[in-house]
Structure formats: C-alpha cells, structure tokens
Amino acid sequence: SDILKEDRNINIYLPEEFNPADATKYPVIYILDGGVEEDFFHIAGIVRYNTQPWVERFPRSIVVGIENTNRRRDFTYAVPDLNFLEKEGFKKESFPQYGGSEKYISFLKNELQPYIEKKYKANSDRTIIGESLAGLMSTEILLKEPEMFNQYIIISPSLWWGGEKLL
C-alpha cells in the first residue's frame, strides 16, 4: 500500500464457479479482521455454505480478508489524548500507536476497492464486516463515508474509544 506505506496480506475467496473469462460480476464482502489466523476462514466458509444451490441464503460473493498488522493503530481515529483509556480498563501504554483510521479508510477506498473491482470482476454491491475495534472502524466509515459500502455488519463495536465521541 502506498497510502499505508507497508505491505498488506489480502486473502481472497472466489465463488466456486468464478471464471475470469465470463461476464458475471459478484458482490464483495470485506473483512477487516481478515487474516488466516483471524476471521477469514470462518466468514469464507459461511459464505460458501450459504451460497450453495440447496441453501441460497445470499448471493455468491467474493470475500476479501485484510490481514492486520496493527489494529490499534489502524482501526482507531485520532484523539487529543488517551485519558479515557483507564476508565475503560486499559493502560495508556497498551496503545503505543493509535489514530490511523483516516489513512486506513483511504487505503480501503482508493487502493483496495479499485484493485478488487478491476482484478476480480466485482459489482458495486459491497459489504463490510467488523467487530470490536474493527467494528469501531466500520462504524466510523458508516458515519463518515457511508457510500463506501452498501451493507454494514458491525458486531460489538468499541464505541468507548475516544470517550464515546462517535456516539
């Protein structure tokens, strides 16, 4: 990523019948905690099962898992100080880096989404999944850049961040 100034591992699940030569385009599900040691396999498995012909709960989809390098830095927005952390049960030292969400959102919007849409024949239907700090990030995107995704699956977001400023 030029925006983040670091390499990022991206895991991709393609629908079983995916064929780069045909004209079919697919919805994309983005998983913020999408490393192989995180939630990628769980979500890709759920998508694969629920798109089988005998189940058909939702459309065949591409799943994009973004592996973390520093989720406390990337999934939190800038705050003037960390005085709220102790009230939440954290030591300030546990967040040596924070406040990088603006760059991360730019990475998603300006690098990752265009790359996926060009390389994997994605349509304009986008879902984001985030929980905990990734849920905070998903909520921030929903509030600040709602057009980035059509569906938001936000689980137990860390809305305590920043003294509950997003609330």
Side-chain angles (χ1 to χ4, degrees), residues 109-125:
K109 183 177 184 177
N110 300 309
E111 288 181 328
L112 186 58
Q113 286 180 334
Y115 172 79
I116 295 296
E117 289 169 11
K118 180 179 179 185
K119 179 143 176 103
Y120 294 103
K121 300 179 357 175
N123 66 27
S124 61
D125 187 9

Side-chain angles (χ1 to χ4, degrees), residues 13-155:
Y13 164 81
L14 299 172
E16 291 175 39
E17 74 285 349
F18 182 89
N19 180 349
D22 71 26
T24 305
K25 291 190 172 193
Y26 298 91
V28 182
I29 300 168
Y30 291 86
I31 311 167
L32 295 178
D33 288 318
V36 295
E37 298 297 325
E38 298 167 308
D39 295 332
F40 179 72
F41 285 122
H42 302 43
I43 301 299
I46 289 169
V47 168
R48 183 169 187 221
Y49 175 78
N50 284 287
T51 59
Q52 295 299 310
W54 62 89
V55 180
E56 289 188 345
R57 287 196 179 113
F58 42 86
R60 288 179 171 15
S61 302
I62 298 167
V63 179
V64 176
I66 309 153
E67 194 167 310
N68 287 311
T69 59
N70 185 335
R71 62 194 309 273
R72 290 184 176 185
R73 176 196 65 203
D74 293 338
F75 296 164
T76 57
Y77 52 84
V79 293
D81 60 61
L82 297 176
N83 293 335
F84 62 91
L85 282 178
E86 286 186 22
K87 178 182 145 200
E88 300 300 332
F90 295 98
K91 294 182 180 191
K92 290 180 184 180
E93 301 81 43
S94 66
F95 281 82
Q97 294 179 309
Y98 61 92
S101 67
E102 187 176 327
K103 274 185 166 179
Y104 195 86
I105 292 168
S106 181
F107 156 71
L108 290 174
K109 183 177 184 177
N110 300 309
E111 288 181 328
L112 186 58
Q113 286 180 334
Y115 172 79
I116 295 296
E117 289 169 11
K118 180 179 179 185
K119 179 143 176 103
Y120 294 103
K121 300 179 357 175
N123 66 27
S124 61
D125 187 9
R126 301 178 192 137
T127 300
I128 187 169
I129 300 175
E131 53 125 352
S132 190
L133 282 176
L136 174 70
M137 167 62 77
S138 300
T139 302
E140 183 179 359
I141 293 169
L142 175 62
L143 295 173
K144 294 180 178 177
E145 303 250 9
E147 72 288 344
M148 279 182 64
F149 297 94
N150 306 84
Q151 289 83 225
Y152 289 79
I153 300 174
I154 301 172
I155 305 158

